[in-house]
C-alpha cells in the first residue's frame, strides 16, 4: 500500500479497461425500450399514437416534457437516452458508454483510496467485482442504451457525487454553487438511486444536524432537491393511481425484501466481509467501518426495502 492516490500504472489500466469494455460493447444493438425512445412520446404513446421519430433536441424536449407528466420523472436520464436512440446512434453511444464505465471504476477507486491509500491492483479488483457482482452485467451495462444510461451512467454520477461528499473541503462560493447544481442534476437522474441516498442523508443528518454546514450543505441540499424533482414528478402519481393495489401482507413484503437482498451477489460479499471482521474481534475497526460508511449502509438498506415493496 502507498499513501498516493494516483499511481503511474493507473492510466495504463484505465486505457486497457476502456478497450476491453468497448470491444464487448460494440456488439450491442437496439433492443426493448431503445426502439420506443427513438420516437417522440405524446398522447396515446405507444399504443394509440403515430410514431414520430426523434430528429432534434427540440423533439427530445417535447417528448420528455410530456413524459415527465405522464410516464416517469427521469427527465435528464431519458433525454440522454433519446439523444442516442434518436439522433446519435449506437456507434457513438458505445464510445461514451465505455468511457462512462472507466469513470465508474475510477470513482469507486478514488473513494477507496480516500480512506486507505492506493494498492497496486485495486483498480483491477474493482473492475472484477463490477463484472462478477453486478446483477445482469451484460444487460445493465452492455445490453442496451436505456438500461446502461439509467444504471451505469447514474451509478457513475452518484459515485462521483459521493466522492466529492467524502472528500469535501470548504470551498469558495463559486465552487459551492457549481457543486449545488451538480448535486441537483445527480439527485434528479433516477429514483432507484435517489430514494436510498436521499433517505440515508435524511436519517444521518436527523441525528447529526450540526455537521450540515459549508460545502457539505450544498452537496446534501442539492441532492435532496434533485431527488424531489424525480420522486415527486406528476407522472409517478399517475402511475401509482393506475397500478393495481398490492395484496402482499407486511410479512410477505419483509420476506420479499430478504429474498431481494440474498439475490444480490454484492450484498453477499459485504455480509462475508462483515463476518470476517467479527472473527477478528476488532471492535474499533468495526466501529470505524460502520461510522465511515454510514450513508452507504443506510442507503443500501433503504434501496433493498424499496425494491421489495415496490
Amino acid at each position: 500500500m502507498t499513501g498516493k492516490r494516483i499511481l503511474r500504472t493507473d492510466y495504463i489500466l484505465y486505457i486497457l479497461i476502456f478497450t476491453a469494455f468497448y470491444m464487448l460493447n460494440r456488439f450491442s444493438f437496439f433492443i426493448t425500450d431503445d426502439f420506443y425512445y427513438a420516437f417522440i412520446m405524446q398522447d396515446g404513446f405507444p399504443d394509440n399514437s403515430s410514431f414520430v421519430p426523434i430528429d432534434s433536441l427540440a423533439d427530445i424536449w417535447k417528448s420528455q416534457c410530456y413524459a415527465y407528466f405522464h410516464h416517469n420523472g427521469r427527465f435528464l436520464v431519458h433525454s440522454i437516452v433519446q439523444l442516442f436512440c434518436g439522433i446519435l446512434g449506437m456507434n457513438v453511444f458505445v464510445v461514451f458508454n465505455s468511457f462512462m464505465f472507466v469513470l465508474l471504476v475510477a470513482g469507486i477507486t478514488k473513494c477507496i483510496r480516500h480512506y486507505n491509500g492506493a494498492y497496486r491492483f485495486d483498480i483491477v479488483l474493482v473492475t472484477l467485482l463490477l463484472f462478477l457482482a453486478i446483477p445482469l452485467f451484460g444487460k445493465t451495462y452492455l445490453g442496451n442504451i436505456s438500461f446502461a444510461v439509467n444504471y451505469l451512467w447514474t451509478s457513475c454520477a452518484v459515485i462521483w457525487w459521493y466522492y466529492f461528499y467524502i472528500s469535501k473541503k470548504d470551498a469558495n462560493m463559486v465552487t459551492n454553487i457549481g457543486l449545488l447544481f451538480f448535486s441537483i442534476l445527480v439527485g434528479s437522474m433516477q429514483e432507484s438511486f435517489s430514494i436510498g441516498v436521499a433517505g440515508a442523508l435524511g436519517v444521518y443528518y436527523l441525528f447529526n444536524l450540526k455537521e450540515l454546514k459549508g460545502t457539505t450543505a450544498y452537496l446534501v441540499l442539492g441532492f435532496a432537491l434533485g431527488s424531489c424533482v424525480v420522486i415527486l414528478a406528476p407522472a409517478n402519481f399517475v402511475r401509482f393511481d393506475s397500478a393495481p393495489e398490492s395484496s402482499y401482507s407486511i410479512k410477505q413484503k419483509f420476506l420479499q425484501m430478504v429474498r431481494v437482498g440474498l439475490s444480490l451477489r454484492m450484498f453477499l460479499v459485504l455480509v462475508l466481509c462483515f463476518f470476517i471482521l467479527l472473527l477478528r474481534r476488532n471492535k474499533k475497526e468495526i466501529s470505524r467501518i460502520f461510522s465511515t460508511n454510514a450513508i452507504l449502509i443506510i442507503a443500501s438498506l433503504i434501496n433493498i426495502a424499496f425494491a421489495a415493496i415496490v
Side-chain angles (χ1 to χ4, degrees), residues 4-306:
K4 295 180 179 179
R5 296 188 182 172
I6 298 178
L7 300 179
R8 292 181 181 179
T9 55
D10 287 359
Y11 300 106
I12 297 174
L13 288 173
Y14 289 141
I15 291 172
L16 291 174
I17 292 168
F18 175 90
T19 304
F21 193 89
Y22 175 80
M23 294 298 289
L24 291 172
N25 208 175
R26 68 191 181 93
F27 293 108
S28 300
F29 49 86
F30 273 34
I31 56 175
T32 61
D33 290 348
D34 291 347
F35 291 103
Y36 290 108
Y37 286 115
F39 299 93
I40 299 175
M41 295 183 179
Q42 52 190 338
D43 286 335
F45 183 88
D47 300 323
N48 302 310
S49 171
S50 58
F51 284 75
V52 180
I54 294 286
D55 193 44
S56 64
L57 295 179
D59 289 341
I60 295 174
W61 174 264
K62 175 183 176 182
S63 178
Q64 286 307 308
C65 283
Y66 177 84
Y68 188 77
F69 287 91
H70 297 86
H71 288 280
N72 61 59
R74 304 172 193 173
F75 188 97
L76 176 59
V77 163
H78 286 164
S79 293
I80 297 172
V81 171
Q82 292 205 292
L83 176 66
F84 286 106
C85 289
I87 300 176
L88 298 180
M90 181 62 77
N91 290 334
V92 176
F93 172 75
V94 295
V95 176
F96 280 89
N97 199 46
S98 302
F99 178 70
M100 203 60 65
F101 181 75
V102 173
L103 273 183
L104 176 61
V105 173
I108 295 173
T109 303
K110 287 184 75 68
C111 289
I112 295 171
R113 290 179 178 179
H114 174 75
Y115 293 115
N116 301 305
Y119 288 85
R120 188 172 298 277
F121 298 107
D122 52 4
I123 293 175
V124 176
L125 180 60
V126 168
T127 305
L128 288 175
L129 277 174
L130 287 174
F131 268 98
L132 297 174
I134 295 299
L136 302 174
F137 184 93
K139 183 178 181 180
T140 305
Y141 286 177
L142 293 164
N144 61 329
I145 294 174
S146 59
F147 252 80
V149 174
N150 266 280
Y151 299 103
L152 169 56
W153 292 42
T154 302
S155 59
C156 179
V158 171
I159 281 295
W160 278 96
W161 175 88
Y162 184 71
Y163 173 71
F164 293 143
Y165 173 79
I166 62 176
S167 61
K168 54 188 177 291
K169 296 178 180 178
D170 285 336
N172 57 45
M173 182 59 67
V174 174
T175 301
N176 283 336
I177 295 297
L179 289 173
L180 174 68
F181 280 103
F182 172 73
S183 300
I184 291 172
L185 290 177
V186 175
S188 71
M189 291 181 74
Q190 234 272 17
E191 71 279 0
S192 300
F193 294 82
S194 298
I195 287 175
V197 177
L201 291 171
V203 171
Y204 181 82
Y205 286 104
L206 181 64
F207 299 98
N208 299 277
L209 188 59
K210 292 181 179 179
E211 296 180 19
L212 190 61
K213 57 185 178 181
T215 299
T216 301
Y218 286 90
L219 287 162
V220 172
L221 295 178
F223 196 96
L225 287 173
S227 299
C228 290
V229 170
V230 66
I231 296 170
L232 301 179
N236 290 332
F237 296 97
V238 172
R239 293 171 67 184
F240 288 147
D241 288 340
S242 61
E245 186 176 348
S246 175
S247 59
Y248 283 0
S249 65
I250 296 177
K251 178 182 177 181
Q252 288 173 318
K253 288 182 177 180
F254 175 77
L255 292 175
Q256 175 68 9
M257 182 177 70
V258 174
R259 284 193 291 269
V260 170
L262 293 178
S263 67
L264 299 175
R265 282 170 286 183
M266 184 64 79
F267 181 76
L268 296 178
V269 170
L270 293 175
V271 171
L272 176 61
C273 293
F274 174 70
F275 278 111
I276 292 174
L277 285 173
L278 287 181
L279 290 174
R280 293 179 61 185
R281 297 182 180 180
N282 190 331
K283 293 183 179 180
K284 289 185 178 180
E285 184 68 12
I286 294 173
S287 177
R288 185 188 70 84
I289 290 174
F290 272 89
S291 61
T292 301
N293 298 285
I295 298 296
L296 292 179
I297 294 170
I298 298 171
S300 299
L301 294 174
I302 291 175
N303 274 338
I304 291 173
F306 173 72

